[in-house]
Amino acid sequence: MAVSIQMRGQIAVVTIDNPPVNATSHAERLGLHNALHQTTQDEAVKAVVLHCAGRTFIAGADITEFGAPPKDPNLPDLLAQIEAAPKPWVAAIHGTALGGGLETALVCHYRIADGAAKLGLPEVTLGLIPGAGGTVRLPRLIAPDHALEMIAGGKPIAAAHALDLGLIDKIAQGNLLDEAISLAEEATKRPTPPALIERPVLAVTSQDTWDSAARKITARARGQTSPIAAITALKNALKLDAPTALAAERALFLELRESDQCKALRHIFFAERAAAQGGKIKGVTAGPLSHIGVVGGGTMGAGIAVACLLAGYRVTLIERNTEAADAGRDRVHSTLDQSLKRGVLTGVAHLHTVENFQISTSYSAISDADLVIEAVFEDMQVKIDVLTALEAAVRPDAILATNTSYLDINVMAAALMRPSRVIGLHFFSPAHIMKLLEIVVTDSVDDQTTATAFAFAMRLKKIAVRAKVGEGFIANRIMSAYRREAEYMLEDGAMPWDIDTAMREFGFPLGIFEMQDLAGLDISWAMRKRLNATRDRTQRYVDIGDKLCEAGHFGRKTGRGYYDYSDNGNARPSAGTRALIMAESQRKGITRVQISDKAIMVRILGRIRSEAAMLLYEGIARCADDIDVVMVNAFGFPRWTGGPMFHASGQD
Ligand code: 3H9
């Protein structure tokens, strides 16, 4: 039974129990409809508390039903009936009240949440806008500029912030349900507040906040339509009467629900969750982890250490000498301070996290570590030396992980005494922020190590994708392929800024050349030099990147790369790069031709797709959906296309 009723004195507690996240499925809507009817009819009931079993309040409409024809009762009608109920309803919120879940809470006459709860309208992230009155009711409860950020930005807010904004009435100090029942009892003694739909919209607290939120949201949307539609819906709510605005919201919601972007965003939502299946191995459970060692306190190592600290692990960072250790400590502390400022950590959690961190120049400090991740210089011999020393220093059952981006982990594992405990954990920079983690399984790794790595990723709140060993695994292998194609286009007729513009217009946050300038051209140069001896000489090779590096143009950090950079960091097309490219085309006897934006993207997408096909054929990637997940989360492939494989399937 998805919905049940228990009496607590004169208060009816309506409990939704619809795992995993109490989404408003058809059965749940029916159950709520019946509960509304029953509690309205029953004279013994004076007020109702709406409460959810399990880990969360209602996390939204049931996304799995979106592809099918809607079934009555629909959520907007049901919510209108709850709002008009003759007895007060109190929403008792724990976990997350999202989308249709928050819209349900909005039609209740009071809202109480536990301190850890989060509330939000994330529909835009699924290519939608709220479709059950959220855009119309929210600006009648909180200032429209804040409503704009919630509706068009899509980011959930913490309970304390919700209380400040007036979105909830109270934060429970003790047991949520008991306090919700007390609130309901008090509510029976006073007049029920008017339904939100009958109240006027509130005044904007600050036109500046509204303008800057609208500007930011529009810029961030790039090609995505739902955030812009959300701004439109909210503007409607501010200027139209409530019934008309509700009808307009519903029409826009239904239109968006059928859009390609919504289908693509739903695809990537489920693909991200399905990626975790790569770590499910029958009969195998993950081992416990509490102490994590990280070797190397550079940007990557420090970021990994922070990611582990934020997940509540005890972390020891190892550096070569005192000077490097001091620099590593500073990096970790300043990143934790930023997390405190951004509200990711509370003051108490920050203190606790700092206490969990230590730094040492001796491997003896990690002798009891459960997992050690090396993040040292990207060189096979350096990594093997570090892993060999680690193996001698840690417990025999400890897991050793390498954060290599390209190198052959089978070779590393073979050099060790316990290859079954060696695995690749390929983080993306900044490691404490980027969601993707490639888990690279070697030929010799045991199942428990793999399962533990996936459990570790889940605790870090990362999206883990399983990959097999192969130059660049999934992400960097595909990136190298489309970067190569982009380099061919330089010789064939395009300039870096033409290619970057086409990629941005397609929806990438950055083009491939500006991205390389940002990362530093010396990184890929080092890799090309490493591969030079074994490179296939029959394959076309573009020297432009090497020549830029030979001239000391390493990108943004040296003020020159594919672009020139002014002192304030602004990029402009470089005359020197242009001349170099023209000279290279001439040297190779290539007649340059105009390449349109469309043709640029056809070549880039085609290259991504063919490399992805090879990865699937070689078994390096598990499935096409994993490739979508990697590309969306590693390189900003526009999420609303569903990723390159889903996008390509729509073009066939
Ligand atoms: C909406 O509400 C529209 C309305 O305005 C209008 C309607 C008329 N439906 O993420 P997790 C599944 S649009 C169905 O791993 P977590 C998920 O697939 C909706 N299933 O857990 C997974 O299944 P499995 C607005 C859902 O603890 C399992 O639950 N709401 C839904 O890391 C656990 O999920 C949203 O956009 C759903 N709505 O995070 C919220 N949500 O175990 C979307 C989850 O088989 N959900 N599942 O792989 C989330 O953001 C996260 O799932 C949540 C939990 C934060 C709730």
Side-chain angles (χ1 to χ4, degrees):
M1 173 62 108
V3 181
S4 60
I5 306 175
Q6 296 87 32
M7 290 305 291
R8 291 275 294 263
Q10 296 182 310
I11 308 300
V13 177
V14 172
T15 303
I16 298 174
D17 188 0
N18 187 21
V21 294
N22 292 312
T24 60
S25 61
H26 180 238
E28 181 174 315
R29 297 196 304 277
L30 264 183
L32 257 183
H33 181 266
N34 293 340
L36 170 66
H37 184 73
Q38 213 174 310
T39 53
T40 304
Q41 297 299 314
D42 187 345
E43 286 182 4
V45 173
K46 300 294 175 216
V48 179
V49 167
L50 179 62
H51 169 255
C52 288
R55 59 182 178 179
T56 181
F57 191 74
I58 306 165
D62 188 336
I63 310 168
T64 58
E65 288 184 355
F66 281 0
K71 284 196 208 155
D72 285 341
N74 72 33
L75 193 61
D77 291 350
L78 174 61
L79 296 191
Q81 289 163 21
I82 295 177
E83 188 169 44
K87 298 167 189 178
W89 278 55
V90 175
I93 300 166
H94 74 290
T96 46
L98 299 177
L102 182 55
E103 290 172 301
T104 305
L106 285 175
V107 297
C108 292
H109 307 93
Y110 299 94
R111 285 156 292 280
I112 177 169
D114 85 21
K118 294 220 159 112
L119 302 93
L121 291 168
E123 284 88 341
V124 287
T125 62
L126 291 168
L128 293 165
I129 58 163
T135 65
V136 181
R137 290 192 180 93
L138 193 62
R140 290 171 157 79
L141 186 63
I142 70 172
D145 36 337
H146 295 301
L148 177 68
E149 290 196 22
M150 285 187 74
I151 294 168
K155 231 171 144 190
I157 60 170
H161 188 34
L163 184 67
D164 287 346
L165 294 181
L167 177 55
I168 56 175
D169 303 289
K170 205 172 168 188
I171 292 184
Q173 302 304 320
N175 181 284
L176 173 67
L177 184 56
D178 290 345
E179 293 192 28
I181 291 168
S182 304
L183 186 59
E185 282 164 350
E186 281 167 35
T188 60
K189 296 176 196 144
R190 44 178 132 93
T192 305
L196 284 178
I197 215 69
E198 279 154 19
R199 301 187 207 171
V201 285
L202 299 180
V204 171
T205 40
S206 142
Q207 191 59 40
D208 281 353
T209 321
W210 172 282
D211 290 344
S212 104
R215 251 197 323 272
K216 258 196 248 152
I217 288 156
T218 309
R220 220 176 26 223
R222 301 194 300 272
Q224 192 181 345
T225 49
S226 56
I228 312 299
I231 299 178
T232 306
L234 198 54
K235 282 185 179 161
N236 284 341
L238 300 189
K239 69 172 188 256
L240 303 174
D241 62 74
T244 316
L246 279 176
E249 177 200 80
R250 185 73 183 156
L252 200 47
F253 170 82
L254 291 175
E255 185 188 321
L256 288 168
R257 200 181 65 173
E258 299 312 312
S259 67
D260 288 345
Q261 289 199 357
C262 180
K263 286 177 195 149
L265 286 161
R266 267 152 39 206
H267 157 76
I268 203 76
F269 177 87
F270 287 116
E272 284 176 349
R273 277 142 189 94
Q277 298 300 323
K280 294 242 159 71
I281 304 159
K282 218 170 165 207
V284 180
T285 47
L289 298 177
S290 71
H291 183 194
I292 313 291
V294 179
V295 183
T299 308
M300 188 48 103
I304 295 172
V306 170
C308 297
L309 285 164
L310 291 176
Y313 288 112
R314 185 156 70 83
V315 176
T316 302
L317 188 63
I318 302 290
E319 258 300 359
R320 275 164 314 179
N321 52 42
T322 321
E323 207 182 13
D326 287 345
R329 182 186 295 107
D330 287 352
R331 264 183 218 112
V332 169
H333 281 173
S334 82
T335 314
L336 288 176
D337 291 348
Q338 283 160 21
S339 300
L340 178 68
K341 274 192 208 127
R342 285 192 296 129
V344 176
L345 277 178
T346 61
V348 178
H350 179 261
L351 270 181
H352 189 60
T353 306
V354 170
E355 278 167 17
N356 270 343
F357 175 60
Q358 62 163 335
I359 196 153
S360 174
T361 52
S362 162
Y363 283 166
S364 63
I366 48 171
S367 58
D368 70 338
D370 307 295
L371 162 69
V372 185
I373 306 164
E374 72 72 22
V376 299
F377 188 63
E378 186 77 350
D379 176 275
M380 180 62 89
Q381 198 51 53
V382 173
K383 292 207 186 261
I384 288 180
D385 290 348
V386 166
L387 289 169
T388 308
L390 277 174
E391 194 172 44
V394 299
R395 288 195 328 255
D397 62 336
I399 297 175
L400 297 183
T402 168
N403 178 52
T404 179
S405 325
Y406 284 93
L407 299 175
D408 188 334
I409 307 174
N410 282 330
V411 172
M412 293 182 208
L416 300 185
M417 300 207 320
R418 293 184 292 275
S420 64
R421 303 300 276 173
V422 177
I423 198 159
L425 291 178
H426 180 217
F427 288 83
F428 291 77
S429 189
H432 63 295
I433 291 183
M434 294 287 281
K435 295 286 267 179
L436 185 65
L437 179 64
E438 283 181 320
I439 297 188
V440 189
V441 293
T442 63
D443 294 344
S444 48
V445 70
D446 65 36
D447 287 345
Q448 206 221 14
T449 300
T450 305
T452 308
F454 271 86
F456 170 67
M458 186 174 275
R459 169 116 172 238
L460 260 52
K461 298 202 176 86
K462 301 280 180 208
I463 300 165
V465 172
R466 184 184 178 113
K468 281 222 228 158
V469 177
E471 176 82 21
F473 319 123
I474 302 174
N476 283 337
R477 164 104 171 251
I478 295 184
M479 198 269 281
S480 299
Y482 72 81
R483 182 178 60 203
R484 219 168 27 244
E485 188 64 34
E487 287 167 356
Y488 295 164
M489 284 191 270
L490 293 184
E491 289 182 340
D492 294 345
M495 286 292 151
W497 30 97
D498 301 330
I499 295 169
D500 287 347
T501 304
M503 289 181 74
R504 274 178 187 268
E505 273 170 14
F506 180 74
F508 278 91
L510 285 178
I512 185 75
F513 294 106
E514 38 191 356
M515 188 175 99
Q516 290 180 83
D517 267 3
L518 191 65
L521 301 185
D522 45 333
I523 296 174
S524 49
W525 190 35
M527 187 188 71
R528 287 195 298 276
K529 285 196 277 192
R530 176 170 62 77
L531 294 177
N532 193 37
T534 53
R535 160 164 82 81
D536 176 0
R537 303 280 149 183
T538 60
Q539 207 186 50
R540 182 173 173 185
Y541 187 83
V542 176
D543 300 86
I544 295 164
D546 294 351
K547 291 193 171 170
L548 284 171
C549 288
E550 283 157 17
H553 299 170
F554 293 157
R556 217 167 240 286
K557 62 187 171 193
T558 54
R560 293 189 73 174
Y562 285 99
Y563 292 79
D564 287 343
Y565 296 89
S566 52
D567 290 345
N568 61 9
N570 284 342
R572 57 176 187 279
S574 158
T577 304
R578 177 190 293 277
L580 171 65
I581 291 170
M582 300 299 280
E584 282 297 295
S585 302
Q586 201 178 23
R587 183 174 71 83
K588 292 199 174 167
I590 298 168
T591 308
R592 295 178 64 81
V593 291
Q594 182 81 26
I595 310 178
S596 68
D597 286 1
K598 188 158 181 235
I600 288 172
M601 285 320 296
V602 166
R603 285 180 66 169
I604 287 184
L605 296 174
R607 181 59 72 167
I608 292 175
R609 200 177 170 186
S610 59
E611 201 64 32
M614 288 303 292
L615 285 169
L616 291 172
Y617 173 73
E618 293 166 21
I620 289 175
R622 212 173 49 107
C623 58
D625 288 4
D626 276 4
I627 292 176
D628 283 338
V629 170
V630 165
M631 290 303 293
V632 163
N633 289 287
F635 303 120
F637 194 98
R639 196 176 172 85
W640 57 94
T641 65
M645 308 306 272
F646 185 84
H647 180 255
S649 66
Q651 313 285 305
D652 290 334

